[in-house]
């Protein structure tokens, strides 16, 4: 890093750009350039754009967003020159010189910032400078990125706290900053640390360097300090040997060398004197523990680490639904950029809906809606450009064909001319025809998923008829906007009313609980849209302004269907008439369609049919009998739910040989997503989601595919590839080894206020608690949570243990959520979702997604369970300490006790044990800034407690606690030691240790049952 905190120069970038030239670009960008910002439906806004002094973000002024008017360099996706974006195309009448135009794509949704400079030189300067900054970031390793983002966060925090802009912080500005950061410390303590950090001549204020010292003092971690002392024989530093012992014993790193430990000391220790001595102090140890080296995610999973030579049906494949859409399913824009984004995000199955377009060129759009159109050729060119940028594993291109024969031939022509050899899989056809090829054998290939002409047709036939019942317009006939190609005032009226109602309802949905996808029901959306449109369109129809086919057809079927079709929870099963009808029609595979008539057919061109090789779309069968391995069955979410809940074993067996695709219900007009885990549980490979919709379901999808380097292919567990079991059974795999996951939730760091807090940074200091959710087989799904810590978001301490039993850990996702407790509910603070197989053992930091500093500190241990239970595995110290004798066991307590904030002992665990003197840990608690706030009493849950009861625990916790105690009855005395600390270390250290403050067993610790 250089003096400005910017990345070091990248050799590959600077090959064509001299150091002097790049630095000149940086200087011009930081000085600012006046440019025209183009927007939809406006003539353009003149703004001053500039690069901030830390080279971390682009800002502009004037802006109503004030400080929020910025785009971080980290979020940049690409920079294009000229008039290439959709916004520029819509401003085609503008007299803009192409050499003065450029577009910045940024964010998760590929948002575009379209700019016009006054001359070509300014445009080139900005394009060069931005590409340089992006190249530097892409070259960083994880540690360098972590350090850079931390430094930027510190500088940004200082600047935002400096209200008067004098480059100094006074004590009042510090008080305001601490409230914003959820720090609840006595003013006397704050003032004392302020005075200690204020060492220069300017007494009463802190410079940035002094603020950095103040921040380090405030951030002293007692949990890490006590952990360090435990492995350093009560010293405040670790030798290389002691560090190696910590890594082997706690972090489960067996092959640690002395050289590796010295490397860590040299990289993370801040004191040069300590580096010379080869020791790691508390600041260096903190830096190491907060680095990517101690992140909860296994760094080996950033690369491909699974067998990629098995048949395609043995893999889950990252899949997108209606890939071209940027928003809802009715009115949003279609963009080719969406294909570029999802492909580089690891998606390997994309969808293209083809319709006849003008001038013989097929178009891509969502049929029978008011979504915009883009040309098929531009989509294919984008896919060809970005398909294999990040990985070479095959793409499945799902083509939904609604075109005439002439335009089908045009589709085939574009595919052949643009994809060329990427379509050639001829050499694989001669191999084993009884199974699909592997991802490795298909590297660099694009598979066309679509219809094929039946084999009984003559090879000379240029066209033939195929079933059209499962075409992916995916909308009931009565739910379609007819004549959607018209452009008159009638369509404008329909569009304006739909858009107004949809926008207001979507805004309303964002106010709700972001973690509860059903808190805003699709039923409400349909009902409100139906009522508003029906009333307004009826009024307009009296004036003769609307055609009946336009006004009525779209909404006529909603009233009768919304009560049955809008329930989209995974556990619901449609059993009403409409559900029965749908099952026997479009996806039923019977002789008749939904309306009772014969199945629809369509004409298919031989040219297009011949491009379909291993992924042949066929009518979804009512019975899941074995067919050809190349047949791919598609199911709507509604039909798939019925199969999952009533015929799960047959569905799983089918997916062991063939591919199946699940797509969202047509009634998800807001582009919301279903829970993909429901369909992964039965082995369905192509579970298609709306990538443009952020939230819980896409977070699960992301975590799923990060297991194997984010390449879009994840190997199924062995029982899903061969054999049979019922995923909905209470014990689906009796002979399969289970896992016990023990999570110690120790502490939190710099947890912010909820993102939707009404008062923003001025709101109350949060009362955080952590919830851990297990998502996997139904028998494994559950949630547990810690107690609430009052008034402390900066460094809350929970020190609680949660334990989970997993029947099929390979498909399990572990979701860490932080909530702000409120008397009338709870507010979402942040989350991180990680696949169980990617969890690292030992002491780890779980950084919340999308946040720079916010994290929770945990200890993770995993045990094997065979059969019903195993006392030697679950409690390895039971047998060992039994032979040592109960008296010695009574002298022990776990490392957990070092974090206890109270010296109180529970009555049943310390009968006859004299009170101990105040320990060094309690002494530290009174003197450090990290002392936890007083927490509420923790409620315990009985094993029989249901998920519904857990959801209600905040409202009746005290009553439940009494009821649980009555059910459980008298407890046996329990003693504790750390889950992973060697017994001999504790015995040799001769520590006088106390019991944890809770009166129940700690499932994460090795436990002795002592008879009273």
């Amino acid at each position: 890093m250089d003096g400005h905190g910017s990345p070091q120069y990248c050799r590959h970038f600077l090959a064509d750009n001299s150091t002097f030239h790049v630095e000149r670009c940086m200087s011009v960008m930081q000085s600012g350039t006046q440019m025209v910002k183009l927007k939809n439906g406006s003539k353009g806004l003149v703004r001053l754009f500039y690069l901030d002094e830390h080279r971390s973000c682009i800002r502009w002024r004037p802006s109503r967003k004030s400080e929020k008017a910025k785009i971080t360099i980290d979020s940049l996706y690409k920079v294009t020159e000229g008039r290439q974006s959709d916004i520029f195309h819509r401003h085609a009448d503008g007299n803009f010189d192409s050499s003065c135009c450029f577009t910045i794509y940024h964010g998760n949704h590929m948002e575009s910032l379209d700019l016009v400079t006054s001359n070509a030189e300014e445009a080139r300067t900005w394009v060069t400078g931005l590409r340089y900054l992006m190249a530097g970031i892409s070259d960083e390793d994880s540690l360098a990125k972590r350090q850079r983002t931390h430094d930027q966060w510190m500088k940004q925090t200082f600047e935002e706290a400096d209200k008067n802009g004098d480059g100094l912080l006074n004590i009042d500005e510090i008080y305001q900053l601490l409230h914003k950061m959820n720090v609840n410390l006595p003013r006397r303590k704050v003032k004392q640390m302020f005075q200690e950090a204020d060492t220069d001549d300017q007494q009463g204020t802190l410079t940035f360097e002094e603020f950095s010292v103040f921040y380090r003092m405030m951030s002293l971690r007692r949990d890490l300090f006590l952990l360090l002392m435990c492995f350093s024989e009560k010293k405040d530093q670790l030798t290389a040997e002691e560090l190696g012992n910590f890594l082997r014993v706690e972090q489960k790193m067996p092959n640690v060398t002395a050289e590796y430990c010295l490397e860590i000391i040299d990289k993370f220790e801040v004191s040069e004197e300590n580096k010379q001595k080869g020791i790691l102090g508390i600041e260096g140890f903190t830096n190491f523990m907060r680095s990517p080296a101690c992140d909860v995610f296994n760094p080996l999973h950033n690369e491909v680490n699974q067998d990629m030579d098995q048949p395609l049906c043995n893999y889950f494949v990252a899949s997108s639904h209606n890939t071209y859409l940027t928003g809802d399913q009715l009115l949003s824009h279609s963009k080719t950029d969406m294909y570029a984004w999802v492909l580089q995000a690891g998606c390997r199955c994309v969808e293209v809906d083809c319709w006849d377009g003008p001038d013989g060129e097929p178009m891509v759009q969502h049929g029978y809606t008011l979504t915009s159109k883009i040309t098929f050729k531009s989509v294919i060119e984008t896919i060809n450009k970005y398909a294999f940028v990040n990985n070479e594993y095959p793409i499945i291109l799902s083509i939904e064909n609604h075109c005439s024969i002439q335009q089908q031939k045009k589709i085939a022509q574009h595919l052949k001319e643009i994809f060329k050899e990427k379509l050639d899989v001829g050499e694989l056809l001669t191999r084993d025809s009884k199974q699909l090829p592997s991802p490795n054998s298909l590297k660099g290939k694009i598979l066309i998923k679509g219809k094929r002409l039946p084999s009984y047709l003559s090879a000379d036939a240029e066209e033939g008829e195929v079933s059209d019942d499962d075409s992916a317009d995916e909308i009931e006939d009565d739910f379609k906007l007819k004549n959607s190609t018209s452009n008159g005032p009638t369509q404008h009226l329909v569009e304006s009313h739909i858009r107004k109602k949809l926008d207001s309802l979507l805004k309303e949905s964002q106010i709700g609980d972001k973690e509860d996808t059903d808190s805003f029901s699709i039923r409400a959306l349909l009902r409100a849209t139906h009522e508003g449109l029906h009333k307004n369109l009826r009024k307009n129809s009296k004036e003769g302004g609307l055609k009946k086919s336009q006004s009525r057809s779209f909404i006529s079927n909603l009233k009768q269907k919304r009560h049955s079709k809008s329930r989209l929870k995974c556990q619901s099963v449609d059993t009403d008439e409409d559900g029965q009808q749908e099952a026997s029609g479009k996806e039923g595979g019977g002789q008749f369609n939904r309306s009772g008539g014969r199945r629809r057919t369509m004409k298919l061109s031989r040219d297009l049919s011949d491009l379909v090789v291993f992924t042949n779309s066929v009518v979804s069968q009512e019975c899941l009998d074995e067919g050809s391995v190349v047949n791919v069955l598609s199911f709507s979410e509604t039909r798939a739910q019925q199969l999952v809940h009533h015929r799960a074993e047959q569905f799983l067996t089918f997916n062991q040989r063939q591919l199946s695709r699940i797509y969202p219900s047509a009634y998800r007009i807001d582009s919301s997503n279903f829970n993909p885990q429901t369909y992964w549980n039965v082995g369905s490979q192509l579970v298609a989601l709306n990538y443009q919709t952020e939230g819980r379901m896409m977070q699960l999808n992301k975590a799923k595919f990060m297991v194997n380097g984010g390449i879009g292919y994840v190997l199924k567990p062995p029982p899903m590839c061969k054999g049979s079991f019922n995923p909905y059974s209470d014990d689906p795999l009796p002979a399969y080894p289970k896992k016990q996951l023990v999570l110690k939730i120790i502490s939190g760091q710099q947890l912010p206020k909820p993102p939707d807090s009404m008062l923003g940074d001025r709101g109350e200091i949060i009362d955080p608690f952590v919830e851990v959710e297990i998502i996997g087989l139904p028998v494994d799904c559950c949630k547990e949570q810690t107690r609430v810590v009052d008034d402390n978001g900066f460094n809350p301490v929970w020190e609680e243990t949660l334990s989970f039993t997993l029947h099929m850990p390979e498909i399990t996702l572990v979701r860490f959520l932080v909530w702000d407790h409120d008397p009338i509910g709870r507010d979402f603070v942040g989350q991180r979702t990680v696949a169980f197989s990617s969890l690292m053992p030992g002491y780890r930091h779980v950084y919340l997604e999308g946040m720079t500093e916010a994290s929770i500190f945990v200890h993770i241990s995993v045990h094997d369970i065979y059969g019903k239970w195993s006392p030697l595995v679950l409690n390895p110290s039971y047998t060992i300490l039994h032979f040592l004798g109960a008296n010695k066991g009574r002298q022990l307590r776990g490392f957990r006790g070092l974090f206890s904030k109270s010296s109180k002992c529970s009555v049943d665990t310390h009968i006859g044990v004299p009170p101990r003197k105040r320990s060094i840990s309690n002494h530290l608690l009174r003197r450090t800034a990290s002392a936890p706030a007083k927490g509420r009493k923790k409620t315990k849950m009985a094993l029989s407690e249901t998920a519904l009861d857990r959801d209600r625990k905040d409202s009746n916790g005290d009553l439940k606690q009494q009821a649980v105690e009555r059910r459980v009855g008298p407890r046996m005395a329990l003693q504790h030691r750390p889950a992973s600390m060697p017994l001999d270390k504790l015995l040799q250290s001769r520590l006088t240790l106390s019991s944890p403050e809770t009166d129940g067993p700690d499932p994460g610790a090795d436990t002795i049952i002592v008879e009273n």
Side-chain angles (χ1 to χ4, degrees):
M1 306 289 283
D2 66 15
H4 297 285
S6 63
Q8 293 289 350
Y9 299 128
C10 310
R11 292 179 182 176
H12 72 273
F13 182 86
L14 291 176
D16 299 318
N17 298 275
S18 68
T19 301
F20 173 78
H21 176 60
V22 169
E23 277 303 308
R24 191 186 65 79
C25 291
M26 295 292 108
S27 176
V28 171
M29 292 164 67
Q30 288 180 318
S31 299
T33 305
Q34 211 166 47
M35 293 184 263
V36 176
K37 175 185 176 184
L38 295 185
K39 296 180 68 176
N40 268 326
S42 67
K43 296 181 180 179
L45 306 170
V46 179
R47 296 288 184 266
L48 179 69
F49 288 83
Y50 61 98
L51 181 68
D52 76 330
E53 63 174 311
H54 310 303
R55 301 183 180 180
S56 62
C57 59
I58 305 165
R59 294 182 178 272
W60 60 91
R61 60 174 186 262
S63 173
R64 287 177 294 180
K65 297 179 181 177
S66 186
E67 285 298 314
K68 294 183 178 180
K70 64 180 181 181
I71 297 172
T72 62
I73 300 299
D74 277 339
S75 71
L76 298 191
Y77 174 71
K78 66 175 179 177
V79 181
T80 60
E81 299 179 74
R83 302 169 55 177
Q84 298 185 34
S85 72
D86 292 339
I87 299 292
F88 276 117
H89 291 159
R90 292 194 192 106
H91 286 79
D93 54 339
N95 189 20
F96 301 127
D97 183 352
S98 182
S99 63
C100 298
C101 303
F102 67 99
T103 301
I104 301 170
Y105 292 93
H106 62 96
N108 290 336
H109 293 303
M110 286 280 290
E111 299 167 67
S112 66
L113 175 62
D114 301 274
L115 301 172
V116 182
T117 61
S118 57
N119 59 68
E121 179 63 26
E122 288 178 341
R124 280 195 300 272
T125 296
W126 274 83
V127 170
T128 301
L130 290 174
R131 287 177 176 170
Y132 159 74
L133 292 172
M134 291 169 64
I137 289 172
S138 66
D139 277 3
E140 286 179 327
D141 60 22
S142 56
L143 178 60
K145 182 174 183 178
R146 169 81 192 127
Q147 185 62 49
R148 176 177 57 81
T149 54
H150 173 74
D151 292 345
Q152 290 175 355
W153 180 85
M154 285 288 292
K155 291 171 182 175
Q156 182 179 337
T157 301
F158 181 83
E159 289 172 358
E160 290 176 358
D162 183 14
K163 301 297 183 183
N164 58 11
D166 62 357
L168 301 169
L169 297 185
N170 58 40
I171 190 68
D172 289 329
E173 289 172 327
I174 288 290
Y175 287 144
Q176 291 179 34
L177 174 61
L178 296 187
H179 184 84
K180 174 185 174 182
M181 296 173 70
N182 289 307
V183 179
N184 185 19
L185 285 175
R187 291 206 165 197
R188 175 182 53 80
K189 181 68 178 176
V190 175
K191 198 167 184 178
Q192 178 187 339
M193 290 191 294
F194 184 94
Q195 290 169 350
E196 289 180 24
D198 186 11
T199 56
D200 63 3
D201 297 332
Q202 303 238 349
Q203 294 296 312
T205 58
L206 299 181
T207 64
F208 175 73
E209 289 73 20
E210 290 172 333
F211 169 70
S212 298
V213 173
F214 173 84
Y215 179 80
R216 286 198 296 271
M217 292 168 59
M218 185 177 65
S219 303
L220 176 61
R221 295 270 301 276
R222 69 185 181 86
D223 50 358
L224 293 180
F225 185 73
L226 292 171
L227 180 59
L228 178 145
M229 288 183 65
C230 196
F231 279 85
S232 64
E233 299 181 355
K234 299 184 181 179
K235 301 192 301 290
D236 61 354
Q237 58 200 23
L238 286 172
T239 65
E241 183 182 351
E242 291 166 340
L243 176 60
N245 187 39
F246 167 73
L247 295 177
R248 282 185 289 270
V249 173
E250 288 295 349
Q251 307 300 79
K252 307 302 179 189
M253 299 171 61
N255 301 318
V256 175
T257 63
E259 291 75 17
Y260 178 72
C261 294
L262 290 172
E263 226 176 89
I264 290 175
I265 293 171
D266 186 60
K267 189 180 291 186
F268 295 100
E269 177 55 47
V270 293
S271 164
E272 289 298 327
E273 183 181 350
N274 284 352
K275 285 184 182 181
Q276 295 296 326
K277 294 180 180 178
I279 57 178
L280 192 65
I282 182 59
E283 279 193 59
F285 185 65
T286 301
N287 291 339
F288 170 64
M289 292 301 294
R290 286 186 64 81
S291 74
C294 292
D295 188 77
V296 70
F297 184 80
N298 188 340
L300 297 178
H301 288 189
N302 287 317
E303 305 293 336
V304 178
N305 57 84
Q306 296 181 344
D307 177 11
M308 301 304 292
D309 289 313
Q310 298 193 29
L312 275 180
C313 56
N314 285 0
Y315 297 86
F316 298 111
V317 184
S319 305
S320 164
H321 170 251
N322 287 354
T323 312
Y324 46 87
L325 291 181
T326 58
D328 65 78
Q329 303 288 309
L330 292 179
L331 301 163
S332 65
H333 292 296
S334 303
K335 286 188 176 181
T336 57
D337 295 330
M338 292 301 293
Y339 289 93
W341 172 57
V342 302
L343 288 170
Q344 294 189 86
C347 181
R348 296 287 94 182
C349 178
V350 296
E351 184 176 12
V352 183
D353 289 344
C354 305
W355 298 79
D356 281 352
D359 304 322
E361 281 294 334
M363 305 296 289
V364 174
Q365 70 168 123
H366 191 28
Y368 305 112
T369 67
L370 298 173
T371 55
S372 63
K373 306 173 184 178
I374 49 179
T375 64
F376 175 81
K377 184 179 181 181
S378 66
V379 168
I380 299 306
E381 287 173 338
T382 302
I383 293 173
N384 186 58
K385 182 176 179 181
Y386 292 99
F388 305 111
V389 169
N390 289 345
N391 78 78
E392 294 184 297
Y393 290 97
I395 298 289
I396 299 175
L397 182 58
S398 181
I399 292 185
E400 300 301 341
N401 174 21
H402 307 271
C403 293
S404 62
I405 290 294
Q406 291 75 18
Q407 297 213 10
Q408 286 181 37
K409 291 181 178 180
K410 197 73 173 178
I411 289 174
Q413 178 186 336
H414 288 321
L415 291 172
K416 292 174 185 175
E417 290 178 353
I418 295 171
F419 288 155
K420 297 178 182 176
E421 73 284 350
K422 296 183 180 73
L423 296 175
D424 183 13
V425 292
E427 60 183 27
L428 298 173
L429 291 174
T430 58
R431 301 184 186 178
D432 186 3
S433 62
K434 294 183 179 180
Q435 67 177 25
L436 291 166
S438 70
N440 261 347
S441 66
L442 290 168
K443 273 188 175 180
K445 300 299 182 182
I446 296 177
L447 303 180
I448 306 299
K449 173 183 166 293
K451 302 279 186 183
R452 289 182 67 177
L453 290 174
S455 56
Y456 59 77
L457 276 184
S458 167
D460 297 331
E462 290 297 316
E463 61 186 61
E465 286 195 345
V466 294
S467 167
D468 192 33
D469 278 350
D470 63 336
S471 62
D473 55 53
E474 301 166 3
I475 303 178
E476 301 279 352
D477 285 338
D478 293 332
F479 193 67
K480 298 174 181 176
L481 270 178
K482 306 297 183 182
N483 302 327
S484 62
T485 55
S486 64
N487 293 311
T490 56
Q491 179 180 348
H492 176 71
L493 284 171
V494 174
E495 179 175 0
S496 63
H497 292 305
I498 295 176
R499 188 180 294 279
K500 188 180 296 184
K501 183 59 65 177
L502 190 61
D503 286 347
S504 64
L505 289 169
L506 289 178
K507 286 177 183 175
E508 181 184 332
S509 74
Q510 292 167 3
I511 298 173
D513 183 354
K514 289 182 182 297
E515 276 301 304
D516 183 2
T517 54
D518 295 309
S519 63
F520 177 70
S521 173
I522 302 300
R523 183 185 307 173
L525 179 66
L526 294 178
R527 181 168 59 249
T529 306
H530 171 272
E531 291 170 355
L533 282 176
H534 188 77
K535 183 185 297 184
N536 202 296
L537 296 177
R538 183 171 55 198
K539 175 183 174 184
N540 280 282
S541 64
K542 289 179 181 177
E543 300 170 1
L546 287 175
K547 296 179 182 178
K548 184 176 180 181
S549 62
Q550 285 183 306
S551 64
R552 299 282 183 182
S553 62
F554 178 70
I555 58 176
S556 61
N557 207 31
L558 289 179
K559 192 170 184 179
Q560 66 204 32
K561 288 181 179 290
R562 67 173 182 257
H563 297 293
S564 61
K565 293 292 181 148
S566 62
R567 292 196 301 270
L568 298 176
K569 293 184 179 179
C570 290
Q571 65 267 28
S572 68
V573 180
D574 290 317
T575 56
D576 60 345
E577 258 183 31
D578 295 301
Q580 301 271 350
Q581 201 172 21
E582 183 185 30
S584 62
K586 178 174 177 178
E587 289 141 353
Q591 295 302 314
F592 300 94
N593 62 17
R594 284 185 298 270
S595 60
R598 295 196 63 82
R599 181 179 298 154
R600 294 178 303 177
T601 59
M602 63 174 287
K603 294 281 188 181
L604 179 64
S605 160
R606 171 70 68 181
D607 291 345
L608 188 54
S609 171
D610 287 346
L611 296 179
V612 178
V613 181
F614 293 115
T615 45
N616 175 31
S617 295
V618 299
V619 175
S620 304
Q621 301 296 318
E622 182 69 25
C623 55
L624 294 169
D625 294 335
E626 288 188 2
S628 170
V629 294
V630 301
N631 290 345
V632 182
L633 268 64
S634 292
F635 301 94
S636 74
E637 171 188 351
T638 310
R639 174 64 184 131
Q641 282 181 16
Q642 295 172 348
L643 288 173
V644 165
H645 289 286
H646 297 296
R647 307 175 62 195
E649 285 189 71
Q650 295 95 315
F651 201 3
L652 190 143
T653 303
F654 172 86
N655 287 323
Q656 291 175 352
R657 188 167 184 269
Q658 295 173 235
L659 298 177
S660 66
R661 177 176 178 266
I662 315 296
Y663 54 82
S665 165
Y667 293 89
R668 290 186 180 272
I669 57 178
D670 60 345
S671 293
S672 59
N673 283 312
F674 53 74
N675 187 347
Q677 187 69 45
T678 304
Y679 308 107
W680 291 330
N681 284 343
V682 291
S684 185
Q685 299 89 354
L686 307 172
V687 181
L689 298 181
N690 292 306
Y691 268 59
Q692 71 272 30
T693 304
E694 292 179 340
R696 172 187 170 87
M697 304 315 172
M698 278 304 300
Q699 289 159 1
L700 301 185
N701 193 70
K702 179 181 177 182
K704 178 76 171 179
F705 291 100
M706 282 301 294
V707 171
N708 195 29
I711 62 167
Y713 286 87
V714 168
L715 189 62
K716 294 185 195 176
M720 283 191 168
C721 299
K722 191 175 183 180
S724 179
F725 70 93
N726 182 0
Y728 280 79
S729 166
D730 288 340
D731 192 5
L733 294 161
Y736 200 66
K738 305 173 185 64
K739 298 283 186 183
Q740 184 196 38
L741 171 64
V742 181
L743 293 173
K744 290 186 178 181
I745 311 298
I746 299 171
S747 61
Q749 295 78 41
Q750 300 174 45
L751 305 176
K753 291 178 171 61
D756 295 326
S757 174
M758 293 180 65
L759 296 176
D761 296 335
R762 295 179 290 109
E764 292 183 346
I765 291 176
I766 65 172
D767 306 324
F769 67 94
V770 176
E771 180 179 72
V772 178
E773 180 181 5
I774 300 297
I775 301 152
L777 292 183
V779 68
D780 294 339
C781 291
C782 61
K783 296 178 183 179
E784 296 289 349
Q785 65 186 45
T786 66
R787 63 184 172 88
V788 175
V789 171
D790 291 330
D791 296 330
N792 189 352
F794 187 72
N795 47 26
V797 174
W798 294 283
E799 187 46 39
E800 295 191 36
T801 301
L802 310 177
S803 182
F804 306 93
T805 300
L806 309 178
H807 290 72
M808 186 177 280
E810 296 94 334
I811 64 166
T812 298
L813 303 176
V814 182
R815 190 165 170 82
F816 300 87
L817 300 109
V818 178
W819 299 92
D820 175 21
H821 177 78
D822 190 271
I824 59 172
R826 60 182 188 176
D827 295 316
F828 176 70
V829 174
Q831 69 82 35
R832 174 85 178 272
T833 307
V834 184
F836 170 84
S837 53
S838 293
L839 292 176
M840 290 292 285
Y843 289 95
R844 303 288 168 179
H845 279 92
V846 182
Y847 281 93
L848 302 185
E849 197 170 283
M851 300 181 190
T852 305
E853 297 292 311
S855 65
I856 52 179
F857 186 48
V858 302
H859 182 276
I860 299 172
S861 58
V862 178
H863 309 289
D864 289 317
I865 306 174
Y866 295 91
K868 294 295 182 183
W869 67 288
S870 173
L872 293 180
V873 173
L874 293 179
N875 300 302
S877 61
Y878 175 81
T879 305
I880 299 170
L881 293 184
H882 177 75
F883 290 110
L884 290 175
N887 290 332
K888 285 188 179 180
R890 286 179 183 273
Q891 298 174 8
L892 300 178
R893 70 162 181 154
F895 179 61
R896 182 183 191 278
L898 292 172
F899 295 130
S900 299
K901 61 183 174 63
S902 171
S903 60
K904 294 180 182 178
C905 304
S906 78
V907 176
D908 60 350
T909 57
H910 281 274
I911 297 174
V913 179
R916 62 185 179 85
K917 295 180 180 180
R918 184 177 298 279
S919 68
I920 187 172
S921 62
N922 279 332
H923 182 68
L924 279 167
L925 287 181
R926 296 171 61 86
R927 295 188 57 83
T928 65
S930 299
K934 183 179 179 181
R936 295 185 178 86
K937 187 175 180 181
K938 179 187 175 185
T939 59
K940 294 276 187 179
M941 291 187 295
L943 293 177
S944 60
E945 186 181 26
T946 64
L948 183 60
D949 293 331
R950 285 197 295 271
D951 291 338
R952 295 173 179 167
K953 75 183 299 174
D954 283 339
S955 60
N956 58 359
D958 293 335
L959 292 174
K960 190 175 296 179
Q961 172 71 11
Q962 297 170 12
V964 170
E965 288 175 354
R966 284 198 297 272
R967 286 196 296 270
V968 173
R971 298 179 185 272
M972 293 184 178
L974 296 162
Q975 302 294 334
H976 298 260
R977 76 170 178 87
S980 54
M981 182 174 293
L983 183 63
D984 56 350
K985 184 170 180 67
L986 276 178
L987 291 173
Q988 292 169 10
S989 64
R990 310 296 296 174
L991 292 175
T992 302
L993 302 172
S994 71
S995 171
E997 63 182 29
T998 55
D999 60 352
D1002 177 358
D1006 299 328
T1007 306
I1008 317 167
I1009 302 179
V1010 183
E1011 297 181 2
N1012 290 320

